[in-house]
């Protein structure tokens, strides 16, 4: 029998309630979820149903108010401190005064890696998203799709096994979006990363 996969994300009975002036808001309620090593899992649903909130709990950007969650066997806080995941936001969030290369190396600078290692990782990541040759360009010189690929390269530069993606292609037109979905699947096949992908598009979720 094949060996069982390792659980990268393990969630049991997870809840998150926000206390507001108008009363409690139940953002998540009794969620059970296991994402195994190498899985590509899409979270789909209408706006406001808790997709991004769940992703933010996994990333330790929000704190659950009930239940249990572990990332590679440790708490989300410990996983964040260990840089166990890369996070791709809805917008590229690139710094316009830094080149694409230096945008990708920014988190590596915070990690205090050597300049040689930062550049190597940046170039490797940019090659994975087919942006080699654009290292010295600035964000405003790239299309929206290329900027989002640069943000994916930045997340990949950590070389973490888990990639969290929050509607990364939602603001792009359908043709570009379909192309990037295809590229993302090829990237996943090459790297064997574990991917949690938030979308409100049924066709996108089915495709991925």
């Amino acid at each position: 029998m094949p060996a069982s996969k390792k659980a990268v994300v393990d969630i049991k009975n997870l809840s998150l309630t926000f206390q507001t002036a108008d009363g409690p808001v139940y953002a998540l309620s009794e969620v059970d979820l296991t994402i195994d090593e190498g899985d590509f899992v899409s979270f789909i649903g209408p706006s406001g149903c808790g997709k991004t909130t769940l992703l933010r709990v996994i990333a330790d950007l929000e704190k659950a108010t009930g239940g249990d969650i572990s990332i590679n066997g440790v708490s989300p806080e410990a996983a964040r401190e260990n840089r166990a995941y890369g996070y791709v936001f809805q917008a590229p969030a690139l710094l316009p005064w830094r080149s694409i290369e230096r945008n990708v190396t920014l988190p590596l600078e915070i990690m205090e890696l050597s300049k040689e290692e930062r550049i190597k990782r940046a170039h490797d990541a940019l090659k994975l998203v087919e942006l080699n040759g654009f290292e010295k360009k600035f964000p405003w010189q790239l299309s929206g799709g290329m900027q989002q690929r640069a943000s994916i390269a930045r997340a990949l530069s950590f070389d973490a096994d888990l990639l969290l993606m929050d509607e990364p292609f939602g603001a792009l037109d359908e043709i570009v979006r379909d192309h990037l979905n295809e590229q993302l699947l090829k990237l996943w096949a090459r790297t064997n990363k574990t991917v949690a992908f938030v979308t409100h598009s049924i066709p996108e979720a089915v495709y991925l």
Side-chain angles (χ1 to χ4, degrees), residues 177-183 185 202-208:
R177 185 173 183 159
D178 288 347
H179 177 62
L180 290 182
N181 284 333
E182 183 179 348
Q183 287 192 317
L185 284 178
I202 293 174
E204 184 170 62
V206 171
Y207 183 79
L208 294 171

Side-chain angles (χ1 to χ4, degrees), residues 83-158:
R83 301 181 177 89
Y85 63 82
Y87 199 108
V88 182
F89 294 91
Q90 293 180 19
L94 301 174
L95 300 177
W97 59 88
R98 294 178 70 110
S99 67
I100 296 303
E101 176 185 272
R102 295 191 65 232
N103 266 284
V104 175
T105 60
L106 179 58
L108 306 179
E109 293 172 26
I110 297 171
M111 294 167 62
E112 299 183 343
L113 298 183
S114 68
K115 182 177 181 180
E116 292 76 14
E117 179 65 14
R118 295 197 306 265
I119 293 174
K120 180 183 183 303
R121 287 198 185 194
H123 286 205
D124 288 347
L126 288 167
K127 185 175 181 180
L128 279 173
V129 299
E130 299 182 7
L131 279 180
N132 43 311
F134 292 88
E135 294 87 355
K136 303 305 180 184
K137 300 293 185 181
F138 288 87
W140 53 270
Q141 295 176 299
L142 273 61
S143 68
M146 294 170 77
Q147 289 182 33
Q148 197 60 295
R149 280 154 56 195
S151 74
I152 294 172
R154 182 175 55 196
L156 290 171
S157 69
F158 291 93

Side-chain angles (χ1 to χ4, degrees), residues 4-187:
S4 59
K5 290 184 178 181
K6 180 182 74 172
V8 175
V9 177
D10 191 18
I11 296 173
K12 291 183 174 64
N13 203 36
L14 187 79
S15 297
L16 174 57
T17 302
F18 294 107
Q19 300 298 333
T20 72
D22 298 323
V25 175
Y26 302 101
L28 299 171
S29 179
E30 300 180 354
V31 176
D32 291 311
L33 174 68
T34 300
I35 302 177
D36 288 331
E37 186 177 27
D39 283 353
F40 193 122
V41 176
S42 293
F43 302 161
I44 185 168
S47 297
C49 73
K51 306 181 302 296
T52 292
T53 300
L54 180 57
L55 202 72
R56 288 174 63 84
V57 171
I58 294 172
D60 195 42
L61 300 176
E62 300 282 358
K63 300 289 187 182
T65 53
D68 299 301
I69 176 172
S70 65
I71 312 299
N72 287 322
V74 301
S75 69
E77 181 179 10
R80 173 177 54 79
E81 292 173 349
N82 294 337
R83 301 181 177 89
Y85 63 82
Y87 199 108
V88 182
F89 294 91
Q90 293 180 19
L94 301 174
L95 300 177
W97 59 88
R98 294 178 70 110
S99 67
I100 296 303
E101 176 185 272
R102 295 191 65 232
N103 266 284
V104 175
T105 60
L106 179 58
L108 306 179
E109 293 172 26
I110 297 171
M111 294 167 62
E112 299 183 343
L113 298 183
S114 68
K115 182 177 181 180
E116 292 76 14
E117 179 65 14
R118 295 197 306 265
I119 293 174
K120 180 183 183 303
R121 287 198 185 194
H123 286 205
D124 288 347
L126 288 167
K127 185 175 181 180
L128 279 173
V129 299
E130 299 182 7
L131 279 180
N132 43 311
F134 292 88
E135 294 87 355
K136 303 305 180 184
K137 300 293 185 181
F138 288 87
W140 53 270
Q141 295 176 299
L142 273 61
S143 68
M146 294 170 77
Q147 289 182 33
Q148 197 60 295
R149 280 154 56 195
S151 74
I152 294 172
R154 182 175 55 196
L156 290 171
S157 69
F158 291 93
D159 198 27
D161 292 331
L162 176 62
L163 189 59
L164 307 175
M165 309 186 76
D166 184 12
E167 296 193 53
F169 310 139
L172 303 174
D173 66 70
E174 190 172 351
I175 294 174
V176 174
R177 185 173 183 159
D178 288 347
H179 177 62
L180 290 182
N181 284 333
E182 183 179 348
Q183 287 192 317
L184 177 59
L185 284 178
K186 290 179 180 178
L187 176 66

